[in-house]
Amino acid sequence: MTLSPYIQKLIRERIGCDLSRPSQFDALALDIEQRTGERIGVNTLKRLFGLLSEVKPTESTLQVVARYLGYGSWRLLCRCTEDSNSVIDAENSAVFPVDLPVGTVVTVSYPPRRRVVMRVSDDGRCRVESVSGGKLLVSDLLEVPMVLVGQPFIAKRLIRDGHDIGSYTGGIEGGVSEVSVGG
């Protein structure tokens, strides 16, 4: 199995290179291990990118790929990337916090009765200012590349009290019901 071009693009963006040289796959394997605590072999990575003969990857390999990209599971990654492609162009349903000015307030609502108010900080992250329900806390820092109505609310990284505690996914069932941007 070769990864979809979109997932390959996400991996290239995460590692910050085009993965055109063997040494870059070595760096990717190391980065995956550092970020997830699990290892994927260089040859397996090349197979996932279609550079070596194709074999079916194990479920655990696909789970590591998903965690590397900030998703809770391979199933969730596939669901988000497949579903997102069909509605990504809807102008008023997608918000990209990293592209917003510092200080902008983003409010996200999702079932069951969850509401997160966060403010874009100078490093592109979002600091939670208020929250109702759920597991997020005021002052949590979130790396949120995109909020899309109808899709789960995904933070690739959740930083709490200076510690990276992993990714966060909310609204798994039903997705984000509303997102608004204010000053």
Side-chain angles (χ1 to χ4, degrees), residues 10-11 14 25 35 40 42 58-59 87-88 96 106 114 120 123-124 133 144 147 175 179-180:
L10 292 175
I11 292 171
R14 179 81 168 167
F25 280 92
R35 291 179 187 265
I40 298 178
V42 171
T58 65
E59 180 68 24
V87 293
I88 196 92
F96 301 87
V106 178
R114 305 289 192 248
V120 177
D123 58 4
V144 182
V147 180
V179 60
S180 64

Side-chain angles (χ1 to χ4, degrees), residues 93-97 106 108 118 144-149 152-153 176 178-179:
S93 66
V95 172
F96 301 87
V106 178
V108 180
M118 51 194 182
V144 182
M146 175 177 69
V147 180
L148 184 63
V149 171
F153 174 55
V176 171
E178 185 179 350
V179 60

Side-chain angles (χ1 to χ4, degrees), residues 103 105 116-120 127-131 137-140:
V105 174
V116 179
V117 178
M118 51 194 182
R119 186 176 300 273
V120 177
R127 180 172 301 281
V128 175
E129 292 198 336
S130 73
V131 63
L137 302 175
V138 171
S139 294
D140 281 348

Side-chain angles (χ1 to χ4, degrees), residues 5-162:
Y6 184 70
I7 293 175
Q8 289 183 26
K9 177 182 173 274
L10 292 175
I11 292 171
R12 285 185 176 100
E13 288 172 355
R14 179 81 168 167
I15 188 68
C17 67
D18 62 2
L19 295 172
S20 61
R21 295 189 307 262
S23 63
Q24 293 173 332
F25 280 92
D26 293 335
L28 175 60
L30 182 61
D31 194 46
I32 289 171
E33 187 172 9
Q34 289 173 341
R35 291 179 187 265
T36 68
E38 299 182 65
R39 182 151 169 65
I40 298 178
V42 171
N43 286 340
T44 298
L45 291 170
K46 289 178 181 179
R47 284 185 180 92
L48 292 173
F49 277 78
L51 300 176
L52 293 178
S53 61
E54 202 172 298
V55 296
K56 184 176 180 185
T58 65
E59 180 68 24
S60 64
T61 296
L62 297 176
Q63 296 294 354
V64 172
V65 169
R67 282 193 296 280
Y68 177 68
L69 292 174
Y71 291 82
S73 71
W74 176 253
R75 183 180 60 79
L76 182 60
L77 170 62
C78 289
R79 192 172 111 206
C80 289
T81 57
E82 288 170 7
D83 291 346
S84 293
N85 288 338
S86 64
V87 293
I88 196 92
D89 292 327
E91 289 185 26
N92 295 322
S93 66
V95 172
F96 301 87
V98 72
D99 295 333
L100 296 173
V102 172
T104 301
V105 174
V106 178
T107 303
V108 180
S109 301
Y110 51 92
R113 294 185 303 273
R114 305 289 192 248
R115 186 168 183 262
V116 179
V117 178
M118 51 194 182
R119 186 176 300 273
V120 177
S121 61
D122 58 359
D123 58 4
R125 296 177 178 158
C126 296
R127 180 172 301 281
V128 175
E129 292 198 336
S130 73
V131 63
S132 56
K135 297 178 178 152
L136 293 175
L137 302 175
V138 171
S139 294
D140 281 348
L141 277 176
L142 306 173
E143 284 185 14
V144 182
M146 175 177 69
V147 180
L148 184 63
V149 171
Q151 297 300 314
F153 174 55
I154 298 172
K156 287 186 169 188
R157 292 179 62 204
L158 166 57
I159 316 283
R160 181 172 289 157
D161 298 325

